């Protein structure tokens, strides 16, 4: 089934291997889980493939995972033993990796391929609720070291044609990411920054892009993101759908008891 031009997403992917720890977390992830499970309905079916811009991978240049059967990367610590044996068996797509690399290079953006890169938890913890049968090919795109917002916006612009080719572009990060205050201590900062972020998303496209390029001037910006790797996937998702309206598809005011967090869709 042809889905037409697909929207893009910026998803707050939660903490660690949460989809495999629902008992331990109680209902803490119920709202996030429901929002992720609704994505297939929103886009009208399964895409041909997913390009995940992951906050958990940085390269000197943008780099794409190009293996046919990616392994797993358990890039977290302190979780139960069974979470280090998780298998999310979605295939990779060497073809999509090469196509995305070509689009970036045509735009003058250096891009490499890594056939050994496995799925990190920014990918498998976000994609498992969306496609639990692991039957949609996934390619990961790294961030570019230096974390320049404009460079990531430009990468998104270059990748925009994928939306017409059945590829769902997903930026996977967190709208609040200060692990030292991932509790009540971060409540005020998370609410200030999340409120600004949702207001910025409602701006006209040009003003929205300008606001996000200057995100570090927002209220509580550095308290919410001491280092911005979990915010930068948003810039790629926005760049690929720069003229499209933004919709809040997930929001909580008391995530993990106190934090404000959100996810966004760009396009219908």
């Amino acid at each position: 089934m042809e889905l037409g031009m697909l929207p893009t997403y910026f998803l707050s992917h939660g903490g660690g291997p949460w989809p495999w720890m629902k008992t331990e977390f109680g209902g803490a992830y119920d709202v996030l889980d429901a929002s992720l499970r609704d994505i297939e309905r929103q886009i009208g079916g399964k895409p041909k493939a997913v390009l995940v811009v992951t906050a958990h991978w940085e390269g000197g240049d943008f780099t794409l995972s190009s293996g046919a059967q990616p392994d797993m990367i358990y890039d977290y610590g302190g979780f139960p033993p069974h979470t280090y044996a998780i298998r999310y068996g979605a295939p990779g797509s060497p073809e999509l990796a090469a196509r995305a690399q070509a689009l970036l290079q045509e735009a003058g953006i250096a891009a490499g391929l890594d056939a050994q890169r496995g799925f990190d938890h920014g990918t498998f913890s976000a994609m498992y609720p969306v496609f639990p049968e692991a039957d949609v090919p996934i390619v990961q795109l790294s961030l570019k070291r230096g974390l320049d917002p404009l460079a990531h916006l430009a990468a998104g612009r270059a990748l925009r044609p994928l939306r017409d080719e059945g590829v769902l572009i997903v930026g996977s990060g967190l709208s609040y990411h200060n692990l030292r205050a991932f509790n009540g201590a971060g409540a005020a900062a998370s609410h200030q920054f999340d409120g600004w972020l949702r207001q910025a998303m409602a701006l006209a496209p040009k003003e929205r892009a300008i606001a996000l390029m200057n995100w570090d001037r927002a209220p509580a910006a550095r308290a919410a993101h001491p280092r911005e790797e979990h915010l930068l996937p948003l810039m790629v998702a926005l760049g690929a759908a720069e003229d499209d309206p933004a919709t809040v598809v997930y929001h909580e005011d008391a995530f993990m008891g106190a934090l404000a967090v959100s996810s966004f869709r760009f396009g219908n």
Side-chain angles (χ1 to χ4, degrees):
M1 180 180 66
E2 293 294 331
L3 299 180
M5 178 180 281
L6 289 170
T8 71
Y9 286 84
F10 171 67
L11 302 178
S12 289
H13 63 228
W18 66 266
W20 291 268
M21 294 182 61
K22 289 182 179 178
T23 299
E24 291 90 338
F25 280 121
Y29 280 94
D30 286 356
V31 179
L32 176 59
D33 187 54
S35 73
L36 294 172
R37 292 184 182 278
D38 193 51
I39 288 176
E40 186 176 337
R41 181 199 63 79
Q42 292 176 29
I43 66 176
K46 289 181 179 177
K48 293 179 181 177
V50 184
L51 180 68
V52 176
V53 187
T54 172
H56 291 269
W57 185 19
E58 297 175 34
D61 293 316
F62 290 105
T63 309
L64 295 129
S65 62
S66 58
Q69 296 294 330
D71 204 345
M72 303 289 287
I73 299 175
Y74 305 113
D75 53 341
Y76 41 71
F79 290 95
H82 76 270
T83 64
Y84 298 90
I86 291 166
R87 302 300 303 175
Y88 184 64
S93 175
E95 298 79 13
L96 172 57
R99 170 66 172 147
Q101 180 190 36
L103 287 170
L104 290 166
Q105 291 176 338
E106 288 167 9
I109 300 170
L113 301 176
D114 184 344
Q116 304 305 313
R117 179 73 185 186
F119 292 144
D120 59 55
H121 88 263
T123 297
F124 63 77
S125 289
M127 289 295 99
Y128 173 71
V130 183
F131 305 115
E133 296 175 356
D135 55 354
V136 177
I138 295 173
V139 168
Q140 295 174 124
L141 173 65
S142 78
L143 302 177
K144 182 178 180 180
R145 201 166 293 132
L147 305 179
D148 178 6
L150 186 57
H152 291 79
L153 185 75
R157 289 169 175 159
L159 295 168
R160 186 182 186 280
L162 295 178
R163 297 175 59 200
D164 284 317
E165 299 170 15
V167 177
L168 183 66
I169 298 173
V170 171
S172 178
L174 279 168
S175 62
Y176 173 84
H177 193 256
N178 184 344
L179 294 181
R180 292 186 177 182
F182 214 72
N183 49 37
S190 74
H191 282 260
Q192 290 177 51
F193 184 76
D194 192 81
W196 172 85
L197 188 60
R198 285 182 285 131
Q199 289 179 354
M201 290 299 174
L203 296 172
K206 183 177 180 180
E207 287 74 21
R208 179 177 62 188
I210 292 171
L212 290 176
M213 291 304 97
N214 295 284
W215 72 272
D216 56 350
R217 301 178 189 175
R222 282 298 177 187
H225 291 279
R227 191 173 186 274
E228 57 266 41
E229 80 285 347
H230 273 71
L231 187 66
L232 266 291
L234 167 61
M235 309 305 175
V236 182
L238 173 66
E242 195 168 10
D243 296 325
D244 292 350
T247 302
V248 179
V249 294
Y250 162 70
H251 176 73
E252 290 191 70
D253 282 321
F255 176 66
M256 302 303 289
L259 304 174
V261 289
S262 297
S263 297
F264 303 92
R265 184 184 71 233
F266 299 99
N268 297 317

